[in-house]
Amino acid sequence: MKLELIFSLILSFSAGIYCLERPRGVSIEKAAFYQGSTTFRCLSDGKSIPLEHVNDDYCDCADGSDEPGTSACSNGLFYCENKSIKGSYIMSSRVNDGICDCCDGSDEYDGTISCENLCEKMLAEIRAQQEALREKQEAGYKVKLEYIQTGRRTKDEKLSQLTELSKEKDLLDKEKDILKAAKEEAEAPEKVAKDKHEQAWEAVKAERKKRQETEAASLAFLDLDVNQDGRVDFPEIIRHPEFDIDSDGTVSEEEAREYLEEREEVDLETFTEKIWPNVKEIYKPYGSIQEETKEEKKDEAPAPPEVPEEADPEIPLDDIKEGTTDEKDEKTEEYDDDDDDTEEDDDEEDVEEKNDNKDVIDKKSDLEQVAEEDRMPDYDDETKRLMAIADEARQKYDEADKKVKDIDNEINNIKKYLDLDLGPEEEFSVLKGQCFEYTDREYTYKFCPYEKTSQKPKGGGIETNLGVWGHWHGPEGDKYDSMKYENGQSCWNGPNRSCHVKIHCGSENALTGASEPSRCEYQFEFTTPARCSQPQDTHPHEEL
């Protein structure tokens, strides 16, 4: 019995040694390092110290792990229990510094101050925040379910439309091919008839032009043939200054011969065929050259009258001042004659003006006559009938072609929609076609999902493109966390603008913020029910 009692006492003593209470400032996870032995090993380098040196307010370990519950080691860590919430670490230097750092006040245990236990209050706040978040997620998730139904229904409708439009397009393509063949069949005889008519008209115009050229050449030949011997030679060419090649004021014999193509003289036929085509652009009738010369002389300013240097000494001074009676009469008659001349000049100006007006009217009539002559005659009745048949065939084909193009556009728009990533359950489809705005102190920002992002000065001005739809840009495993909009308007001396749109859960669709974290790179904050997920736990645990 004595041996059993002694053995029992030994076991109890040993258990007391190995089951010492966890030191202050040590978490449950690290409690094993401070129990089960009479020594303690520093956590960083394994240095061994007596267990009683732990929390003795003297720093023995380089990492401060021997003083978790005192402020002896500046690099040590104190564990706040924070019961009811969640434990946390603070620097050991803040232990007993007169400031309550742990919500349960366990860091201020020396009695200097009394710390209120705020853990329950914090727990209540956390629970309220969690409840608000849960309610927001729950409300948003309900809307998201509606979005999903709408998105799936829209996708099904698009697929159904695509099938129907594809069938309709096949029928229209066949109809278009038939109408195209009918159009080409109707256009063939129309083209033959129109070409025949137009070729005949071109022949008429060519003949008229040839006749006009021959007449013009004949008139020029008659003008150049001064001696009327039926030939034009180089002395007759020399009379016309427009043939002055080097513009030295005279037409040399060499220049004249050059225009005659080194011939001594030419007859009317040779002139019309060989010479006239080369000179008709510069030739001027000799009479018009003379008129131009007269006009140039007429435009020259007349020389001022000569003033006598001194009076005639034989004429009395009084006669010079007053003049004789005969001279006065002569001057009076001279004035009368001047008046008559003025009236005659006015009459001449009126006649000239009337003549000028008549010339304008005559020229206008001539132009109208030329335009009328150049107008192609109307098609004959048979050609008109063929044209009417072809026009009707073209109209029917054009209508069919327009229907095919319209249906192609519809099909392409549906395919573009179906190619968009609208979320794993089509929940983001409701955002397509909408735009949202956010205004700060300077700008109004616009976000059009799947299209573009932009900004505009608040006081008005030009809208700046911040980027067009690129792709989903969230991290791996959660790509619907954000969108990327790229290739916006280029910055001055910088890259093209781009915009990163962060998507958050919210009870409504709203653009809630905009910033420019780095030059030419923008970030929008956007909330939408489509981003909400189903709340996982409606009854949180008591301890957080």
Side-chain angles (χ1 to χ4, degrees), residues 177-421:
D177 291 340
I178 294 172
L179 292 172
K180 182 179 180 181
K183 176 178 79 74
E184 292 173 350
E185 184 178 354
E187 286 176 336
E190 176 201 37
K191 185 176 186 304
V192 171
K194 288 177 69 176
D195 287 349
K196 182 179 178 181
H197 179 87
E198 290 165 5
Q199 287 168 6
W201 172 240
E202 290 298 325
V204 170
K205 288 199 299 182
E207 182 62 28
R208 181 193 298 163
K209 184 177 181 181
K210 181 178 179 181
R211 186 172 64 252
Q212 291 171 346
E213 287 291 327
T214 301
E215 291 175 358
S218 298
L219 291 173
F221 184 85
L222 291 174
D223 180 53
L224 291 168
D225 185 13
V226 179
N227 58 12
Q228 300 298 309
D229 63 349
R231 294 180 176 280
V232 172
D233 53 21
F234 68 86
E236 291 171 326
I237 294 291
I238 290 174
R239 296 173 67 249
H240 284 253
E242 67 268 25
F243 296 124
D244 181 12
I245 296 176
D246 57 10
S247 301
D248 63 352
T250 60
V251 180
S252 66
E253 182 177 334
E254 289 77 12
E255 290 172 331
R257 289 180 184 278
E258 183 174 343
Y259 278 107
L260 291 177
E261 297 185 351
E262 304 304 327
R263 296 177 175 86
E264 290 293 328
E265 58 184 19
V266 293
D267 57 14
L268 176 59
E269 182 179 357
T270 305
F271 178 82
T272 302
E273 181 181 353
K274 301 290 187 181
I275 308 304
W276 177 245
N278 298 327
V279 302
K280 64 181 181 180
E281 298 297 332
I282 61 173
Y283 162 75
K284 294 180 181 179
Y286 190 75
S288 67
I289 296 173
Q290 299 303 312
E291 290 296 328
E292 288 179 4
T293 304
K294 289 180 181 179
E295 290 295 328
E296 290 175 0
K297 290 181 177 180
K298 185 178 178 181
D299 292 338
E300 292 179 0
E306 294 183 0
V307 179
E309 295 181 359
E310 55 185 20
D312 190 342
E314 295 181 1
I315 300 176
L317 184 61
D318 295 336
D319 292 342
I320 294 175
K321 291 181 179 180
E322 299 178 0
T324 63
T325 305
D326 293 338
E327 287 175 350
K328 290 181 180 179
D329 294 340
E330 288 175 4
K331 290 180 180 178
T332 304
E333 290 175 2
E334 186 178 338
Y335 295 151
D336 293 340
D337 291 340
D338 289 343
D339 293 340
D340 293 339
D341 292 341
T342 304
E343 290 177 0
E344 289 176 3
D345 291 342
D346 291 342
D347 292 340
E348 289 177 3
E349 288 178 3
D350 292 340
V351 171
E352 288 179 2
E353 185 177 353
K354 289 178 181 178
N355 290 335
D356 290 341
N357 292 337
K358 184 176 181 301
D359 291 341
V360 172
I361 294 172
D362 291 342
K363 288 179 181 178
K364 185 176 181 182
S365 300
D366 292 342
L367 290 173
E368 290 175 351
Q369 184 177 354
V370 171
E372 184 65 27
E373 290 177 355
D374 288 341
R375 186 180 297 115
M376 185 178 69
D378 204 1
Y379 294 105
D380 58 65
D381 292 341
E382 178 59 19
T383 302
K384 289 180 179 179
R385 187 184 69 82
L386 294 174
M387 290 170 62
I389 294 172
D391 285 341
E392 184 179 358
R394 278 189 288 267
Q395 182 179 356
K396 290 181 178 179
Y397 171 79
D398 290 341
E399 290 173 356
D401 183 57
K402 184 178 183 304
K403 289 180 181 178
V404 171
K405 289 179 179 177
D406 289 343
I407 210 167
D408 277 337
N409 287 334
E410 288 187 63
I411 289 173
N412 289 334
N413 289 335
I414 291 175
K415 286 182 176 180
K416 287 180 182 178
Y417 178 90
L418 295 174
D419 288 341
L420 287 175
D421 186 351

